[in-house]
Amino acid sequence: MGHMESIKAQKKLSHMKNKRKSNNTILDLFLHQAQVQPEKPVVVFKDASMTYGELNTVSSELADYLQFLGVCPDDAVGIFLEPSLDLMIGVWGILACGGAYLPLSPDYPEERLKYMIEDSRTKWIFTHQDLTQRLSNICSPDIRLVTLDQVSAFKKSRITRNLKKARFSPAPNHLAYLIYTSGTTGKPKGVMIEHHSIYNQMNWLRTAFNLNGETVILQKTPMSFDAAQWEILAPSCGSTVIMGNPGTYRNPQLLIQTILKYQVNTLQTVPTLLQALLDEEQWTRCQTLTQVFCGGEALSKRLAIDCLQSLPNVSLTNLYGPTECTINSSAATVDRSSVEQSSEMISIGTPIANTQYYILNKQLEPVSAGETGELYVGGEGLAR
């Protein structure tokens, strides 16, 4: 491509990147829910649970402590935890102090964790007391490891009396979280997601799929994957999150047991796992399920039909989106009446709210109908 053509192409792409940014943050949504339904269960893990009011209180205490330690807007704060109530406290506490949470999976190799911590310039990591020794072997000595025990001690200290009452509130253009890609083409790449982008995502799920106070969603996707974020951030829509035990995502029998025990009605999965679930005899007992979301791989027509036939009351939606586009950028709900006549693979559907799709040639010109091109995505969901 010549110099002038390159300039024209860059101008075209700049138009695609223009975002109609929301004036709201994901934290605004959560605080509203905590105010209107403080007694409602927000998260359940094994036999323990927290209400919206309790989560708001504890996460606010964590936010005060993080602010005292020096966390500022756009600062990355790691979360090194197994699925637990603490994980939910960590996410909302970091968001409440204006920081951006960075999922650090305990399952990851030490070298990968070291790279993510160094590359993101993380100075603080929220963890459990039992994991601090392992983290000490991974992190440099100048990184502060934060636990709820420290938060409790800080709360009782005299220092809190000298804190300003007004805690910093994040703005729509501040970072909400960072996700590192798999690194299949080299070193993992940190993707920075701003508040307005995840706000748009959660607001779309709320309006398009009625993610609300009646929703009981299973959080089983490993936290370091971008798809896990809407499971974890579902409290912004008033939903109840069931935290699955570690490894639930790769254990179909345990997953079904969890659905049955907690009467889960909303499930996200990948086609490979969905097939494994359908192969289990107990799957058809999951009658509380009303919504199944599938993504991460191509969804075949055969699997979609089998799923809909196995649970007559369920709605099946195919999701698509690169990590750099804030989780999901398009969706297609399978039509029971016409799926038999569809192509062998279910479509990735149409763009979500405030998102645009373009099929372009090498000169970044729109292709004609029937021609092949590259998919470009624009709009509110683009990462920083």
Side-chain angles (χ1 to χ4, degrees), residues 218 247-261 273 276-283 285-286:
L218 177 58
T248 297
Y249 70 96
R250 54 176 177 255
N251 188 330
Q253 292 182 348
L254 178 58
L255 203 156
I256 291 173
Q257 291 171 11
T258 306
I259 292 171
L260 295 174
K261 179 177 180 179
L273 179 57
L277 289 169
L278 265 63
D279 291 340
E280 295 288 333
E281 291 183 7
Q282 298 295 310
W283 170 250
R285 292 185 56 207
C286 298

Side-chain angles (χ1 to χ4, degrees), residues 242-299:
I242 308 300
M243 281 279 179
N245 289 337
T248 297
Y249 70 96
R250 54 176 177 255
N251 188 330
Q253 292 182 348
L254 178 58
L255 203 156
I256 291 173
Q257 291 171 11
T258 306
I259 292 171
L260 295 174
K261 179 177 180 179
Y262 298 102
Q263 297 187 311
V264 171
N265 57 33
T266 302
L267 175 69
Q268 176 181 218
T269 183
V270 295
T272 302
L273 179 57
L274 180 59
Q275 182 62 68
L277 289 169
L278 265 63
D279 291 340
E280 295 288 333
E281 291 183 7
Q282 298 295 310
W283 170 250
T284 54
R285 292 185 56 207
C286 298
Q287 296 299 317
T288 57
L289 281 178
T290 56
Q291 293 196 104
V292 173
F293 294 91
C294 214
E297 304 164 0
L299 176 61

Side-chain angles (χ1 to χ4, degrees), residues 7 15 23 44 59 119 158 165 176 178 180 216 220 269 358 374:
I7 292 176
H15 288 302
N23 293 321
V44 179
S59 61
D119 185 69
R158 295 180 181 179
K165 289 186 178 180
L178 292 86
Y180 274 75
V216 181
K220 58 102 184 97
T269 183
Y358 305 88
E374 293 285 344

Side-chain angles (χ1 to χ4, degrees), residues 50-342:
M50 296 184 74
T51 65
Y52 272 84
E54 291 169 338
L55 177 58
N56 186 34
T57 297
V58 181
S59 61
S60 294
E61 292 169 357
L62 171 60
D64 287 337
Y65 185 50
L66 291 172
Q67 181 186 44
F68 172 75
L69 294 178
V71 177
C72 294
D74 283 356
D75 281 340
V77 181
I79 296 183
F80 187 74
L81 288 168
E82 297 284 3
S84 59
L85 299 185
D86 287 4
L87 190 153
M88 192 67 81
I89 294 169
V91 164
W92 291 107
I94 293 167
L95 291 172
C97 80
Y101 69 87
L102 167 66
L104 299 168
S105 173
D107 291 337
Y108 276 175
E110 289 190 3
E111 285 304 313
R112 181 180 174 94
L113 291 170
K114 286 180 181 179
Y115 172 79
M116 293 166 65
I117 293 168
E118 292 172 2
D119 185 69
S120 62
R121 300 182 180 87
T122 295
K123 299 178 183 177
W124 310 267
I125 299 177
F126 180 65
T127 187
H128 192 273
Q129 186 63 41
D130 294 344
L131 295 171
T132 54
Q133 184 57 53
R134 183 181 168 196
L135 267 177
S136 298
N137 298 330
I138 298 173
C139 303
S140 61
D142 60 332
I143 292 179
R144 182 66 177 264
L145 305 185
V146 180
T147 68
L148 284 180
D149 291 341
Q150 295 174 26
V151 175
S152 179
F154 175 74
K155 180 184 174 183
K156 296 175 183 177
S157 71
R158 295 180 181 179
I159 301 174
T160 55
R161 300 174 189 173
N162 300 323
L163 281 180
K164 296 179 180 179
K165 289 186 178 180
R167 189 189 314 120
F168 176 82
S169 296
N173 64 329
H174 286 140
L175 292 183
Y177 64 85
L178 292 86
I179 291 289
Y180 274 75
T181 60
S182 59
T184 52
T185 57
K187 287 187 176 181
K189 176 177 56 177
V191 178
M192 300 179 288
I193 302 299
E194 296 174 341
H195 271 267
H196 68 91
S197 295
I198 187 60
Y199 173 90
N200 184 71
Q201 177 77 195
M202 299 310 298
N203 199 45
W204 166 70
L205 287 165
R206 181 182 64 83
T207 55
F209 296 100
N210 294 318
L211 211 67
N212 55 32
E214 302 299 317
T215 302
V216 181
I217 183 168
L218 177 58
Q219 202 292 294
K220 58 102 184 97
T221 307
M223 191 191 184
S224 291
F225 288 89
D226 67 327
Q229 306 320 307
W230 75 269
E231 297 173 349
I232 295 168
L233 297 172
S236 63
C237 298
S239 308
T240 297
V241 178
I242 308 300
M243 281 279 179
N245 289 337
T248 297
Y249 70 96
R250 54 176 177 255
N251 188 330
Q253 292 182 348
L254 178 58
L255 203 156
I256 291 173
Q257 291 171 11
T258 306
I259 292 171
L260 295 174
K261 179 177 180 179
Y262 298 102
Q263 297 187 311
V264 171
N265 57 33
T266 302
L267 175 69
Q268 176 181 218
T269 183
V270 295
T272 302
L273 179 57
L274 180 59
Q275 182 62 68
L277 289 169
L278 265 63
D279 291 340
E280 295 288 333
E281 291 183 7
Q282 298 295 310
W283 170 250
T284 54
R285 292 185 56 207
C286 298
Q287 296 299 317
T288 57
L289 281 178
T290 56
Q291 293 196 104
V292 173
F293 294 91
C294 214
E297 304 164 0
L299 176 61
S300 70
K301 176 175 73 173
R302 185 68 265 159
L303 180 56
I305 293 172
D306 290 346
C307 176
L308 294 174
Q309 289 178 344
S310 67
L311 294 175
N313 296 321
V314 83
S315 171
L316 177 63
T317 300
N318 191 33
L319 300 174
Y320 169 78
T323 302
E324 296 84 353
C325 294
T326 313
I327 314 177
N328 305 303
S329 62
S330 67
T333 298
V334 180
D335 188 338
R336 285 178 176 271
S337 63
S338 62
V339 64
E340 289 281 4
Q341 287 73 48
S342 67

